[in-house]
Amino acid sequence: MDLAFTREEEAFRAEARAWLTAHVPSEPLPSLETAEGFAAHRAWEAELAADRWSVVDWPTEYGGRDAGLVRWLLFEEEYYAAGAPGRVNQNGVSLLAPTLFDHGTREQRARVLPSMAGGEVVWAQAWSEPEAGSDLASLRSKAVRTAGGWRLSGQKTWSSRAAFADRAFGLFRSDPDAPKPHQGLTYLMFDLRAPGVTVRPTARLDGKPAFAELFLDEVFVPDEDVIGEPGQGWRIAMSTAGNERGLKLRSPGRFLAAADRLHRLWEAQGSPAWAGDRVADALIGARAYRLFTFAAASRVLDGAALGPESSLNKVFWSEYDIALTETALDLLGAQGELADTDWSERYVFSLAGPIYAGTNEIQRDIIAERLLGLPKGRR
Amino acid sequence: MRFLVDAEQRAFGASLDAMLTAADTPAVIRDWSRGDHVRGRAVWARVAEAGVFALAVPEAYEGMGLRPVELALAFVELGRHAVPGPLVETVAAAALLAGLDDQGPAKRWLPALASGESAATLTTGPYALDADMAGLRLTISPSLSGPAAATPTELRLAPPPGPPLPSLDPARRLFPADPHRGELLATDPKSLTSALLLARLTTAAQALGVGLALLDRTVSYVGQRTQFGTPIGSFQAVKHRLADAKVALEFARPLLLGAALTMAPEDVAAAKVTACEAAYTTARTALQLHGAIGYTAEYDLSLWLTKARALRTAWGGPDECRAAVLSGGRRC
Ligand SMILES: Cc1cc2nc3c(=O)[nH]c(=O)nc-3n(C[C@H](O)[C@H](O)[C@H](O)COP(=O)(O)OP(=O)(O)OC[C@H]3O[C@@H](n4cnc5c(N)ncnc54)[C@H](O)[C@@H]3O)c2cc1C
């Protein structure tokens, strides 16, 4: 067991650091959740991609560096330590891309991945519906067979970044007569600007349009945009959701950088004793998350699947993130009331952590039933 | 980077676990709490035979050299089985003696500590753990004279103890210690810092083991106990508390192993506070979910419950550890 990186890994880290030092914008970009900020972040993705830093762990043929898990983790540490912008294409990169690597066709990969890597096409996740949140399998939006493809109808909701995104991926009920709700679902990609699609932005707590509702009225999707077999949508979507929840959605680098900033904020405020424990816990939590992730990555590199362990991870980082940002706002005092600061933006975003990517209540059920072996309750 | 316990290390932990399961530690602990050390000494001998104490003793003194990762893994198992005795104190004393300028005490004591023939107790505070059964009793003190900051530390061999004081964890028998009496072994021993770090690390490991045992026992209890016609473990309020305990313990584990690898003071402190807090909240959860039976001394759960509380403050409480993290050289 060790924590040492190889010379090649350290060289990779140094190369990433040098590139980031030269390229990270000196002023923070405007909020991702505004039209102007979205455009600026998209341009940043293109800049990253031009030098192959946008998706370092992908194969080179799709714009990556074939860097593997460990180097991806090192890249993320450098990325956030450098104060680089948030990633506008996280949904596509952490959910759609792995699904296509596992279940997509060659043609789909060649068509979808390079433009995703460059930020030309930003993807939204269209899973939730007004009546299908935690109980996602109860979804009702339909996909009906038609010549050469499918027609989609229904309503999706809470689709992050859909206000400004280009395309979306989601589950639709293609066989209304299937005996169980998880059956008869088809996983499809569609264009947010196609005829029949209406995007209605939804304001989050601070008023910014961070997500949107999608109204679909007979939207045509060609066969080549079906992911995997029709009717197998649930299995396909879930095979990557759990895995990605575990490792790729939140890298430790992000929390290491945030804890470091919090520590400096505390010192700059004169190291007030009342916040000492909370700042120490933020430093410890970032370290715990980093080491936990290294252990998980080591297992994955040995060929193990992450499985339900990713639920431990989800509960941990989402609650950690809130505790950290709350501490920062408390330290800022009156300043902490201002919107549009780095910390307030981060705080508002952190509040959603226990809700999205599977609520923490659902994750706790998974931990209790699948990791601890407790009896299934009513659901 | 391969941050995973390897097969040999896993086998070492598993064999200790099997040996301690067979040793029926609850009965041993109850004897120990009454001051009857016969069965406890037999367990001690087997722990030594498995090589645990030798992991803190240099090869020159019949040990295996200092191996913090293996020690951490071993102490998780010792905690899991709530093995009583000055376990932490013995490995810390070994590290302390091994680093003294004068090799006399090391020659005199280390082979016996490594082989399990002798146990050691060591204290920097007012009470010494299990001083009646330890063959080697060490105290560390600032001397009475001189301004506090400049006072040299004295390492002494303590005289035989008086009677123990009643303790919240009956298995941790506490004896009043006087750091100014007994034979002076060293002044300002430079190995003190690393010995205290090792004490802190192994206490963290022991606490993690205590927490894991509490979680295991509670999971199996709530799977069997039925109320309202269904196992209480199917109620979400019950499940979620146990899920939270699992999250807390599983994030303490990498901190512990990471600290054993680096032995940096801030890393060891982070592991200590996290493992102890996780074990302590798990203890609270375990007690609550057992209902009244959990509140009785007769039921074995109590053996772990009281230890979780005691370990929280042993060798550096939460405040002290968090302060060490904040003043650590590294940022995260
Ligand atoms: C910022 C943000 C971004 C999002 N982005 C996207 C996106 O891009 N695409 C997308 O498809 N969705 C997105 N979502 C939606 C998200 O996936 C859902 O909010 C989530 O699945 C929960 O569904 P719900 O909001 O309908 O809550 P509900 O399912 O109605 O749950 C409400 C409360 O009840 C609890 N609850 C429900 N069932 C149980 C149960 N069995 N046991 C215990 N408690 C239960 C929940 O845990 C929660 O606390 C986003 C949400 C947020 C907040």
Side-chain angles (χ1 to χ4, degrees), chain A residues 143 150 172-181 183-186 231:
Chain A
W150 300 78
F172 292 83
R173 193 161 297 284
S174 52
D175 178 4
D177 302 323
K180 292 208 176 117
Q183 296 168 1
L185 300 176
T186 297

Side-chain angles (χ1 to χ4, degrees), chain A residues 91 124-136 156-161 169 204 210-211 349 351-362 365 378-379, chain B residues 236 240:
Chain A
N91 277 318
Q125 177 202 3
W127 287 19
S128 304
E129 295 185 5
E131 305 296 326
S134 298
D135 184 13
L136 181 63
K156 295 284 179 180
T157 190
W158 314 128
S159 187
S160 291
R161 321 246 149 91
F169 53 96
R204 68 173 183 187
F211 35 35
F349 188 58
L351 289 179
I355 299 171
Y356 64 77
T359 68
N360 284 9
E361 285 71 28
I362 299 296
D365 276 352
R378 263 212 58 195
R379 202 150 18 259
Chain B
Q236 234 178 20
H240 286 195

Side-chain angles (χ1 to χ4, degrees), chain B residues 59-148:
Chain B
E59 286 170 55
Y61 303 107
E62 295 165 39
M64 294 196 265
L66 185 59
R67 293 169 60 182
V69 172
E70 281 74 10
L71 273 173
L73 293 169
F75 272 75
V76 170
E77 298 309 325
L78 296 171
R80 200 197 288 276
H81 294 277
V83 175
L87 299 153
V88 163
E89 291 68 19
T90 296
V91 297
L96 179 58
L97 297 186
L100 294 182
D101 290 334
D102 172 9
Q103 290 177 14
K107 284 199 184 117
R108 191 160 130 213
W109 291 104
L110 288 184
L113 294 186
S115 70
E117 195 187 305
S118 219
T121 191
L122 165 73
T123 183
T124 57
Y127 309 117
L129 182 63
D130 295 313
D132 58 340
M133 69 73 69
L136 172 63
R137 290 179 299 273
L138 301 174
T139 55
I140 295 157
S141 75
S143 72
L144 290 173
S145 58

Side-chain angles (χ1 to χ4, degrees), chain A residues 2 69-70 73 247 291-304, chain B residues 1-4:
Chain A
D2 69 64
L69 208 44
V70 172
L73 287 165
L247 266 174
L291 294 174
F292 182 91
T293 306
F294 282 172
S298 300
R299 282 197 302 277
V300 169
L301 293 172
D302 277 0
Chain B
M1 191 283 293
R2 193 170 183 287
F3 188 56
L4 266 192

Side-chain angles (χ1 to χ4, degrees), chain A residues 1-2 4 256 260 263 267 276 281 284 287 291-292 295 298 302 316 361 364-365 369 372 374-375 377, chain B residues 1-4 219 222 236 239-240 243-244 246 250-251 254-255 261 267 273-274 322 326 330-332:
Chain A
M1 121 168 284
D2 69 64
L256 289 167
D260 185 31
H263 193 185
E267 286 173 342
D281 284 347
I284 295 170
R287 179 173 164 77
L291 294 174
F292 182 91
S298 300
D302 277 0
F316 184 85
E361 285 71 28
R364 287 188 175 96
D365 276 352
E369 289 168 14
L372 298 177
L374 291 173
Chain B
M1 191 283 293
R2 193 170 183 287
F3 188 56
L4 266 192
V219 164
V222 302
Q236 234 178 20
K239 275 186 186 161
H240 286 195
D244 283 338
K246 173 83 174 162
E250 289 307 328
F251 278 86
L255 282 174
L261 282 172
D267 294 350
V273 62
T274 307
R322 289 192 173 104
L326 286 172
R330 172 202 338 216
R331 298 199 181 259
C332 299

Side-chain angles (χ1 to χ4, degrees), chain A residues 54-78:
Chain A
S54 69
V55 283
V56 296
D57 54 324
W58 286 12
T60 47
E61 60 177 312
Y62 303 123
R65 289 177 176 244
D66 242 329
L69 208 44
V70 172
R71 276 185 256 206
W72 174 76
L73 287 165
L74 295 181
F75 172 75
E76 290 274 305
E77 286 185 8
E78 293 304 319

Side-chain angles (χ1 to χ4, degrees), chain A residues 200-217:
Chain A
R200 189 197 289 162
T202 310
R204 68 173 183 187
L205 289 181
D206 63 353
K208 294 186 185 117
F211 35 35
E213 282 177 296
L214 312 176
F215 298 90
L216 306 167
D217 181 15

